[in-house]
Amino acid sequence: MKRSMVYLVGAGPGDPGLITVKGLECIKRADVLIYDYLVNVDLLKVARPNAEFIYVGKQGGAHTLEQEEINALLVKKALENKVVTRLKGGDPYVFGRGGEEALVLHENHIPFEVVPGITAAIATPNYAGIPVTHRDFTSTFGLITGHEDPTKDESSIDWAKISTGIGTLAFYMGIKNLPYITEQLMRHGRSEDTPVAVIRWGTTPQQKTVTGTLGTIVQKAKEIKPPAITIVGEVVKLREQLNWFETRPLFGKTIVVTRSREQASEFADQLYEYGAQVIEFPTIEIAKPDTIQPLDEAINDIQSYGWLVFTSINGVDAFFQRLLELGKDIRDLKGIKVCAIGPATEDGIKKYYLKVDCRPPRYVAESVVEELKKVTTIQGEHFLLPRADIARSFLPQELLKLGGKVTDLVAYKTVMAQPKDINLLDKIKNGDIHIITFTSSSTVRNFIEILGEKNIAALNGNVQFASIGPITTQTAEEMGLRITIKADEYTIPGLVNAILESVTSGTEKT
Ligand code: SAH
């Protein structure tokens, strides 16, 4: 019998990579996920698809649910014999009211476990180039709430002791009270020259750091809004040398990925690793063809073909999935040669335990024909091309001209994705987006369809466009978009490189 369980899990400070292995397991295992404002929602992607998601975020003063209601919800869901994972920002027991939630579970005899997380006071200064201890500067480190009401008669913080008794001080939730906090510290003996850093949305691509001293930080950080943490102490000086995160090449850049949701993550992950903020804005969706009959006929007669030619990874997946659905497997492909247009397509084929016999040096149809001519006699050979409904006619036509027999069929369909409602056009006009990427002609066409042809002029002036290859570039330019970043190698890593080069050489518009 299934038994109830509540995991109180620290989700870490923002960077989704900073959750523990154990915490991630608890997300995968959950029937119900209850999560806060500071939890990175990307972490929820690993949850079971039929899990229940409940957002109970508190943002500033506005609570979606009061703490008592959250406690009651945990108990209620657990008593339904469910595995409940309660995700909290940072560590559950550091200013996270995790202690209160655990006590309520204890009182209700509900089994629970608490998974620690990396707390903001450790992770965010790190990502701002500040080690919280360093033997040359400090041997002590204190975590303090900055949320205390300054009009309270008696403070529960002993300002006299912490001001001079602790080296590095981290104030959580202290932005509103920053004038009060700095004043208390100076009044109780901490020098006004003590370095201070205020870090907002630490460990994420939106991280913003402001530095000053106890005497100057209030003025300097007046634009900073929560969530932010304040770090006080000599260690802040090390930021000048140790600021590894904010100096990554794409930090501060917002880049839009327009390819399909299924294919976006590999590309998005690479950009993210270089520090970019990535917005996934899928413009295409991959769907089954209107009729599957031609593909079925080809598969049933597969031994009449000499070559299978794949020009996209979607074509590979569509073909092999159907092969398996029809009760066949790769043994039925014995003797048939395989061609892949580029390395990603080749990798897709290898996943089905087949090797590729031909791959051109340039990843376009023109180069496929040239390469095929080198490795086989086209005349009289029978080629199967499982492709998209909108694939170019160049490849089949050329093979036909050279005397080949060609079966060019629709293995999958590219349809326009339902546009995501994220005010992309406004963001572009405001200069909040730096680069928009295109990885196929259909991403270009659908992007323009979604944003509106009449807005093309406004787009060109406000954002840069990046293209994976010459055909995509040509489509974009014919439609009036100016492509300023072009991949030398027509692959995702090639496009990432072109973006890096453009940004680091400073040719991009900022
Ligand atoms: N349990 C959390 C803290 C919750 S209190 C933890 O262990 O980190 C919320 C406060 O944490 C915010 O007001 C802010 O001061 C701090 N905080 C949490 N995440 C942060 C982040 N990514 N960047 C800056 N401050 C953060």
Side-chain angles (χ1 to χ4, degrees):
M1 196 194 83
K2 218 166 135 183
R3 104 185 227 281
S4 58
M5 181 60 160
V6 177
Y7 297 106
L8 295 179
V9 176
D15 180 343
L18 293 180
I19 191 169
T20 61
V21 174
K22 191 161 184 169
L24 204 62
E25 277 307 310
C26 294
I27 298 178
K28 290 184 189 159
R29 216 177 282 161
D31 300 313
V32 185
L33 283 135
I34 302 178
Y35 62 101
D36 277 349
Y37 174 56
L38 288 173
V39 170
N40 189 326
V41 289
D42 278 354
L43 288 168
L44 303 176
K45 284 185 186 160
V46 301
R48 307 209 324 245
N50 56 353
E52 184 183 0
F53 298 90
I54 306 176
Y55 175 67
V56 295
K58 298 175 225 168
Q59 187 179 350
H63 294 205
T64 310
L65 284 187
E66 294 298 336
Q67 187 62 45
E68 290 68 31
E69 294 174 298
I70 297 174
N71 297 349
L73 181 69
L74 288 175
V75 173
K76 174 172 171 277
K77 290 292 173 188
L79 291 179
E80 289 169 10
N81 274 347
K82 287 187 170 147
V83 175
V84 180
T85 293
R86 165 77 173 115
L87 276 175
K88 299 167 88 66
D91 182 274
Y93 280 174
V94 178
F95 304 123
R97 307 190 73 166
E100 291 163 57
E101 292 177 12
L103 279 172
V104 168
L105 296 170
H106 166 76
E107 282 156 18
N108 286 277
H109 311 288
I110 292 164
F112 67 92
E113 290 182 15
V114 187
V115 182
I118 304 185
T119 191
I122 290 178
T124 59
N126 172 335
Y127 276 51
I130 303 164
V132 287
T133 75
H134 182 294
R135 44 190 278 154
D136 295 345
F137 299 97
T138 174
S139 326
T140 48
F141 167 45
L143 278 60
I144 303 146
T145 175
H147 194 46
E148 206 181 54
D149 183 356
T151 60
K152 223 163 82 173
D153 282 347
E154 219 172 299
S155 172
S156 57
I157 298 171
D158 189 335
W159 289 101
K161 286 186 177 151
I162 66 158
S163 296
T164 52
I166 303 176
T168 308
L169 302 170
F171 290 92
Y172 290 75
M173 305 170 281
I175 283 307
K176 217 171 91 213
N177 282 344
L178 198 57
Y180 169 72
I181 292 167
T182 49
E183 194 206 297
Q184 289 291 329
L185 291 173
M186 289 187 286
R187 182 167 348 137
H188 289 94
R190 196 78 180 236
S191 158
E192 68 173 287
D193 298 326
T194 311
V196 181
V198 173
I199 307 151
R200 178 170 199 246
W201 280 125
T203 78
T204 75
Q206 298 101 288
Q207 173 169 313
K208 180 148 179 57
T209 308
V210 176
T211 54
T213 62
L214 275 183
T216 64
I217 195 70
V218 170
Q219 181 61 22
K220 286 189 156 176
K222 64 178 191 300
E223 307 286 327
I224 299 277
K225 296 188 177 66
I229 196 153
T230 303
I231 308 292
V232 178
E234 297 302 317
V235 285
V236 169
K237 286 186 195 152
L238 289 165
R239 168 174 162 81
E240 279 169 30
Q241 292 123 77
L242 304 183
N243 188 7
W244 61 272
F245 181 73
E246 294 170 16
T247 52
R248 290 183 309 169
L250 299 182
F251 185 80
K253 301 288 170 215
T254 302
I255 303 180
V256 174
V257 170
T258 56
R259 66 193 327 211
S260 71
R261 197 163 37 79
E262 297 77 12
Q263 287 191 307
S265 62
E266 179 210 351
F267 185 24
D269 287 351
Q270 290 184 33
L271 297 171
Y272 183 84
E273 284 305 312
Y274 286 112
Q277 177 172 8
V278 183
I279 297 182
E280 287 187 23
F281 187 79
T283 56
I284 58 175
E285 252 170 47
I286 305 305
K288 290 211 178 307
D290 293 335
T291 161
I292 198 81
Q293 206 187 342
L295 181 59
D296 284 0
E297 281 170 8
I299 289 175
N300 285 326
D301 192 24
I302 197 72
Q303 277 300 331
S304 72
Y305 294 92
W307 279 88
L308 263 169
V309 182
F310 292 105
T311 50
S312 74
I313 191 153
N314 293 319
V316 174
D317 285 333
F319 176 83
F320 284 98
Q321 273 164 25
R322 194 63 192 160
L323 183 80
L324 298 173
E325 277 167 16
L326 293 178
K328 298 180 189 292
D329 64 26
I330 54 168
R331 287 171 297 181
D332 295 283
L333 305 183
K334 188 167 166 41
I336 302 169
K337 293 243 175 7
V338 182
C339 173
I341 193 166
T345 308
E346 177 167 5
D347 285 346
I349 293 166
K350 281 183 182 160
K351 272 201 301 211
Y352 297 97
Y353 303 103
L354 285 178
K355 74 175 168 54
V356 163
D357 304 283
C358 167
R359 197 192 86 192
R362 291 190 325 120
Y363 313 139
V364 288
E366 288 73 2
S367 192
V368 171
V369 175
E370 288 312 307
E371 198 66 12
L372 278 171
K373 279 203 295 206
K374 284 186 203 154
V375 296
T376 189
T377 317
I378 308 278
Q379 173 75 40
E381 188 61 279
H382 199 171
F383 297 90
L384 178 61
L385 278 51
R387 306 199 300 158
D389 53 335
I390 49 167
R392 293 164 64 214
S393 55
F394 178 85
L395 182 58
Q397 276 173 3
E398 282 304 297
L399 292 173
L400 278 173
K401 270 194 224 156
L402 294 165
K405 262 174 79 186
V406 179
T407 304
D408 178 24
L409 55 80
V410 178
Y412 67 96
K413 214 167 66 164
T414 302
V415 295
M416 190 156 99
Q418 208 48 29
K420 260 197 349 191
D421 183 20
I422 56 162
N423 297 328
L424 190 61
L425 190 61
D426 289 343
K427 287 198 174 108
I428 295 170
K429 286 183 179 166
N430 285 340
D432 295 337
I433 309 279
H434 302 99
I435 299 170
I436 294 174
T437 60
F438 296 118
T439 46
S440 66
S441 292
S442 49
T443 59
V444 177
R445 281 189 217 104
N446 292 359
F447 178 81
I448 291 178
E449 173 96 32
I450 293 169
L451 269 83
E453 231 169 290
K454 62 180 190 306
N455 294 311
I456 289 181
L459 294 176
N460 276 330
N462 280 300
V463 70
Q464 281 208 295
F465 292 102
S467 159
I468 197 167
I471 307 301
T472 305
T473 303
Q474 193 187 338
T475 306
E477 287 178 346
E478 278 168 12
M479 298 188 81
L481 292 182
R482 206 166 55 234
I483 301 284
T484 48
I485 303 175
K486 297 174 190 170
D488 287 335
E489 195 200 75
Y490 314 147
T491 61
I492 292 297
L495 183 53
V496 172
N497 272 337
I499 291 171
L500 279 174
E501 267 166 38
S502 155
V503 170
T504 48
S505 72
T507 54
E508 95 290 7
K509 194 179 159 302
T510 46

